[in-house]
Amino acid sequence: MVQFNARTLPHMTSQPDAIHTPFSLEGLNNASDADTLAWFEGLYEHSPWVGQAALQHKPFRSLAHLKWALADSVSRASHEQQLMLVKAHPILAAKPASGLTTASQTEQQLAGLWQSTPEQAEQLAQLNQRYQAHFGWPFIIAVRGSRGLGLTPQAILKELERRLHHPPAIEFHECLRQIHRIAETRLHGKCQSHPLLGNEVWDWHEWLAQYSDPGFIEHGELSVSYLTPAHQACAQTLRLGMLACGFDEVCIDAVGNVVGRYHPRQSGAKYLLTGSHYDTVRNGGKYDGRLGIFVPMACVRELARTGQRLNIGIEVVAFAEEEGQRYKATFLSSSALTGEFDTEWLSQSDHQGISMREAMAQAGLKPADIPSIQRDAAQYLGFVEVHIEQGPVLQGLNMPLGVVTSINGSVRYLIDIKGTASHAGTSPMDQRHDAVAGFAEWAIYVEQRARQDGDSVATIGMLHVPHGSINVVPGSCQFSLDMRAPSDVQRDAMANDILKHLHAVCEARSLNVSIEETVRAAAAPSDPGLQARWEQAVSQLGLPLHHMPSGAGHDAMKLHTLMPQAMLFVRGENQGISHNPLESTTADDMQLAIDAFSLLIKDFF
Amino acid sequence: MVQFNARTLPHMTSQPDAIHTPFSLEGLNNASDADTLAWFEGLYEHSPWVGQAALQHKPFRSLAHLKWALADSVSRASHEQQLMLVKAHPILAAKPASGLTTASQTEQQLAGLWQSTPEQAEQLAQLNQRYQAHFGWPFIIAVRGSRGLGLTPQAILKELERRLHHPPAIEFHECLRQIHRIAETRLHGKCQSHPLLGNEVWDWHEWLAQYSDPGFIEHGELSVSYLTPAHQACAQTLRLGMLACGFDEVCIDAVGNVVGRYHPRQSGAKYLLTGSHYDTVRNGGKYDGRLGIFVPMACVRELARTGQRLNIGIEVVAFAEEEGQRYKATFLSSSALTGEFDTEWLSQSDHQGISMREAMAQAGLKPADIPSIQRDAAQYLGFVEVHIEQGPVLQGLNMPLGVVTSINGSVRYLIDIKGTASHAGTSPMDQRHDAVAGFAEWAIYVEQRARQDGDSVATIGMLHVPHGSINVVPGSCQFSLDMRAPSDVQRDAMANDILKHLHAVCEARSLNVSIEETVRAAAAPSDPGLQARWEQAVSQLGLPLHHMPSGAGHDAMKLHTLMPQAMLFVRGENQGISHNPLESTTADDMQLAIDAFSLLIKDFF
């Protein structure tokens, strides 16, 4: 049997250099299939077929590639096989149970499950029973968690309770994802390999998430709105963090952006601009925006720590405002960099009546200085942004990273269908002018038409019948429509079809319709050159490439008006949920993002 | 040319006897087609083809039949012909205009249009222009109104403004209905025939509508909730009205019903029970319920006035409570008659915290007496109820009266589809669990499945996405479902299909669904014998028969549990709108209802 030790296996270290120097996977790749399978044993519970199917991806290009190959084997298996894999897992127990594999036993013990109180143990048993009765398989959770430190019994119970409400198909996929995460942590154990920088960056997110606005922090929720005390505390923390990382210059600019510059080897060289935002939505997640600040900060720290200078300068901007939560000026801070800051925004008031001008004065910011922070494109190579995906695509594909091809163009409408309210009992079906029936007929088309493009999306997020009664045929139905596509042409073709169909349905049913366009934003296709650099970095990590549009808007969308840009997406946990406390990613995926960013910046001429 | 005078034409008088004695329509029916057409001239503006097409219905059985035959000609015509008819009408003017037919001129003058203020004249001109530009035809309104007394310029302007918001197809049909109403009033002129009792009963409704609850009366709205001061004033008014009509016994019973008995020729004979409710919904119409009290009152008055006694007694009950507006005890007062009054209702509180027991005490009612008002079915022939249709069917068919075959059984649900909230931009169409998309797919089936039965109805009256956001794929969609059918079997088959489809859609989309049944009421088929009596009465009026289920619940539904019942429906104006101040019917249709009721009661052995 081949023996692997830390030195002969690709592992993640705090030295990003280590990851793209040619790791020797020879031990594994040159071993016989039987030996390889023997080494795989225990990664996927009682399911040697997973490793068997992964052999087709040999030679493994990296540990990340191996993880993907194993997960991909499960994805390609039949539902029956997947179900067998799920059912092969033991029921989580609050005390040592018989029949556990050594790996399971160690994990359950490390997670502190065996330190459960009697009440927790009783609750776990009851929830396990409900779960098993409802879904027909055991509850599966990677008890080491996304950071690898182990979840508390309380956290595990909370997840179990929450996931009980999942529709079966979603919960099944969640179980598979947890199984892959379990395999990942077991691989770490086997290889004595740990995502050291990923862990650190994970902790930085926790550290920044200590600051939250009043009304939220009391409930353990995260909300950081523009220029609140919590927001200013974040800015100061980021400023000190950048200084500690070894940036050469750090400042807080006229709109509250925290800007750190790491000088190039030779003065006069161009800078690569990067970064993302540190404000959050109300009761949001910890990674949206912030990951794109911390990833380059970690890379710069590693450069500074080892005294390395690059051919290019690195300018990291922690943008103060992207979410448009406190004032209706989305991309406020990136607009300041592109020279599109609208001074009329200063007169906007928040819900307490505090104007942006007043809020800036209180924070010691000088609006008069805003024009001076406009960037000169000639001094930059472009803008790159790392961001948590905020969607389920990468998780569904078992891919930790995705290369963004375009930030989708969008258009939004508020729509009101007016029919004729009438008595639900006395209005025959063929004599109704039912606003909801018209809506439903059209809404089905919305879904079909968006699907047709493959990468367009259309969403009816708000919907209600004003003053609806159970016994009244609805005379009105009001709703929102949000449509996005990788190009403006594609978006407009879809919007045109969908609105045309709305008019046709309403005309056929004698309904009136009023349509108000509220938002129209142009698509921002990635710069081919910068995009190719991300592709190269991802490939060097041994990962398969996945191209995807960004459905959400990002600061890169605004910077796009000034310079080339390209984004990298990092897989989110929990089906990619975002703008929600459940938003998460793993320390391993953070490590890969850091590795990719390091490769990207070192590759500049 | 044949000359017609009042004596040779069927006309409506205050003597219901007159209507079913064999009227001579010989003059018209024996005349040559050319002469008949010449007499028709002017009824339908510049459109002799309407009369021409009506000739196929000769011989005309009554004036009501002639009106229907003319209207039916228009209904059978092509859309182009109908549009020509509409366009043949002059634009309403605030001063004498050239080119008006004498009839139009007289009508516009009588309506007081020529007494418009300069501001009104200017407003009329502007609205006319907007209307014509929007719809492509002139605004048409029967300026004499539903009572025949003429509308004020203010009322006309209000209608013009309101109807501007109609979808074109609905407004087109409203214009045709107005044209038929114009023809009807012109026929009155030609025949010197007027609905004298219908006019009186119309006025009785106005008179009772003076009483309205505080908070409504100040805004000119009608709201009469159980045992409010307005409600008690209505009861006293009805009591005095019944006494004035010549009822032998009148009382207000233990739940507030006003009961009048008109004795039979011989004591010991059975009674026919009839009536309807005098409470209203908030901001309701004047005719819902009350028409079924006043129609038999008018008939009894005619009997008493001429000293006639019938073989049967007549017992008219003005029910105190049907709408369930103040307390959640619908059919409260008819339940007292069937012995199903639930004494637990007495502890219910209204929104001000006043219990029903307290409200009764304040009104001088003694709950202890409620059991004594339970009726003994053996003393009754059954229950008949006249009611405004509260739907568009009769108006669509140009029928003033409809015979009810069954009061529909109903079932109601509150439903919650739970999907997964996710980012509208980043969730690909094929990875969504969108509660609204699932709703829409199912809602289309609801409509199809209800249509399939012909006379079933299904309605989604309440609908909303809780906390919906424009950029979030909806994780929840909540709505109501109301289903009704003429028989319980038909209702249950529909409900079964519709709920099965809901489960199927939700399963296919990985959505969770919770369904709560809130109401289940059995259908109340009409008694064949009583229904046949209504059919005979309607036929004797010369009208074609139309059978229809009642989609709404009525007091007859409750009486059904005790004795045979059958209802007669009277056409509503404004597409049959009800529970709304626009609810209306014409004095002519009221007259026909009175005539039908007179025929019914005199026909008993």
Side-chain angles (χ1 to χ4, degrees), chain A residues 42 125 129 135 180 182 259 318 330 348 371 399 441 482 485 536-537 581:
Chain A
Q129 201 169 14
F135 292 114
H180 297 319
I182 290 169
V259 183
T330 323
Q348 286 187 355
M399 302 258 194
E441 182 182 346
D482 172 295
Q536 200 180 347

Side-chain angles (χ1 to χ4, degrees), chain A residues 447-509:
Chain A
E447 190 184 42
Q448 282 166 5
R449 179 59 186 79
R451 265 176 203 269
Q452 182 184 309
D453 287 343
D455 52 3
S456 292
V457 288
T459 306
I460 296 156
M462 302 198 291
L463 169 67
H464 81 138
V465 169
H467 313 299
S469 294
I470 200 164
N471 61 344
V472 176
V473 176
S476 170
C477 183
Q478 299 177 350
F479 48 95
S480 63
L481 173 64
D482 172 295
M483 290 180 279
R484 313 189 193 196
S487 77
D488 294 350
V489 170
Q490 183 175 325
R491 173 201 65 194
D492 292 343
M494 168 171 62
N496 186 45
D497 286 352
I498 283 176
L499 295 185
K500 206 169 121 188
H501 195 77
L502 178 59
H503 285 295
V505 166
C506 288
E507 196 177 323
R509 290 176 174 266

